Amino acid sequence: MSFLHRLLGRVPSLLIARRNVTRAKVRSGLAVAAIVIGVVAIGAIGAGGAAFKQSQLATLDDQGATNVFVLPGVDRQERTFDQTDLQRIEETVAPAGVVATRSGGGELRTRDGTEPVSITYLSAPRLIYTVEAGAIPPDWRRGAVVSTTIAEEYSIDPGDRIHLTRRGEVGVHRVEALVSGGGFGGQSILLPLELTGERRYDQLRVTTQSVDRAEAVAATLREEFNGRKDTLLVVELTSLVRLLRSIVNGINLFLAGLAAISLLVAGVSIASTMLMAVIRRRQEIGVLRAVGYGRRDIVRVLVVEAALLGAIGTVIGLTIAVLVTMVANALFLGNPVAFAGESLLYLGAAALFGIGISLVAGVYPAWRAANDRPVEALRG
């Protein structure tokens, strides 16, 4: 006798359920297939959608979702900010950091001629950019900092010297570092703000550590500066984050609900399978009742049989759903095993729902078989 038989022999109801499942292979296979489809649908749709949402939120973070962009409002006479404006905004949003920027254009001399590039003058690049190579000096006043996108396109490395034409004048700048991130306008060449020759800025960026904090800072700025007149144009991406979350969550729940219908169909299939099994094994059930099996024993055997069908379908379906989710993770997150917590919740819910539907589907056939009189059952 194999180890499996010895193990199942300690649980008679499981041994009988296994035997009954293997005897009706076609009906059992169809019931299992229905469970597989439902579990795969719920798990893959939910977990794949969670991976997509995580990738889009990460993209918004890269674009500055935790930052607040401040520009001159429509009712402001000056189209730039001065040092007084900067100091007042810094006092209002403290302890959040404020980065003053000024945008411009120029031309970069390359081996093939000159190429137009975006130039951003700013005060504190380390607050909004991530250094990928080289280092930004603490007293950064002369060198240039180049985004990795431009550096890759024109083969620029830290320590190189680049020729920039600004306002008709050609300047030579040593590349101090390569940076990534920065959100909007991140694909540019960064220069110290002092090189503009004047302390005026066309944009201020308030850096925070969370989406909630960014939303609070934006509300504070609007309340402090925008009364009857809109002196500041305050832009934050938190509304886009909330909108994206609500849209993706709504779509996920809708699709998961459709997938749940397939599991309900699977439950009907299992109930039908179990009813057919009860009818075909009516005499067998009568014999079990005659030799001492009680109603609870009969119910236990048939419910375990339904649970076994559900467990087999759930295991197969969950395996397929995990593989599909790994493909989604690789596409959206760049890492097949980067399972988000929400993805695991969907996979777990699919597994529980698959087994739960099977148990519920087996209750009525089990109750009907248990309440059949042994004498009538033995007559067939």
Side-chain angles (χ1 to χ4, degrees), residues 41-242:
I42 292 179
I45 290 174
F52 171 76
K53 182 175 72 173
Q54 185 178 1
S55 69
Q56 297 307 304
L57 290 177
T59 301
L60 285 177
D61 284 340
D62 291 339
Q63 296 296 330
T66 59
N67 295 341
V68 178
F69 302 86
V70 183
L71 298 90
V74 294
D75 296 326
R76 181 184 174 88
Q77 294 181 352
E78 296 289 339
R79 306 314 303 165
T80 58
F81 297 111
D82 57 21
Q83 194 66 22
T84 302
D85 298 323
L86 174 60
Q87 184 176 358
R88 185 181 174 191
I89 291 175
E90 285 178 333
E91 293 174 351
T92 302
V93 302
V98 179
V99 180
T101 66
R102 186 164 184 173
S103 300
E107 293 183 340
L108 173 67
R109 183 186 299 176
T110 66
R111 296 169 183 168
D112 302 324
T114 58
E115 294 290 340
V117 293
S118 173
I119 299 176
T120 301
Y121 304 89
L122 73 168
S123 56
R126 280 183 291 269
L127 289 179
I128 55 179
Y129 291 91
T130 301
V131 177
E132 301 292 346
I136 302 176
D139 56 344
W140 182 53
R141 294 181 181 276
R142 293 184 177 277
V145 175
V146 181
S147 68
T148 53
T149 304
I150 293 180
E152 291 173 0
E153 184 175 357
Y154 300 111
S155 301
I156 299 174
D157 295 312
D160 292 349
R161 295 187 179 277
I162 58 175
H163 294 74
L164 284 177
T165 301
R166 301 179 293 120
R167 302 173 184 174
E169 298 181 359
V170 179
V172 181
H173 305 271
R174 182 180 184 274
V175 177
E176 303 290 350
L178 306 181
V179 295
S180 61
F184 301 112
Q187 299 179 6
S188 61
I189 295 177
L190 313 180
L191 294 177
L193 196 58
E194 287 79 0
L195 295 182
T196 61
E198 54 183 344
R199 291 181 174 271
R200 302 200 70 86
Y201 327 110
D202 54 21
Q203 182 188 105
L204 303 177
R205 186 183 300 192
V206 183
T207 61
T208 67
Q209 299 300 317
S210 67
V211 171
D212 292 338
R213 177 58 181 159
E215 188 174 11
V217 165
T220 300
L221 287 173
R222 293 190 183 101
E223 182 179 354
E224 179 70 21
F225 292 91
N226 292 346
R228 295 181 178 179
K229 295 183 178 181
D230 292 332
T231 58
L232 294 183
L233 175 61
V234 182
V235 180
E236 83 280 5
L237 301 183
T238 53
S239 57
L240 291 179
V241 172
R242 292 194 303 271

Side-chain angles (χ1 to χ4, degrees), residues 41-42 45 250-264 346 353:
I42 292 179
I45 290 174
I251 293 175
N252 266 14
L253 289 176
F254 175 73
L255 295 178
L258 293 180
I261 295 176
S262 67
L263 267 182
L264 292 176
Y346 273 106
F353 200 32

Side-chain angles (χ1 to χ4, degrees), residues 31 34-35 261-273 354 357-358 360-362:
I35 291 292
I261 295 176
S262 67
L263 267 182
L264 292 176
V265 174
V268 173
S269 176
I270 289 180
S272 176
T273 299
I357 284 292
S358 304
V360 172

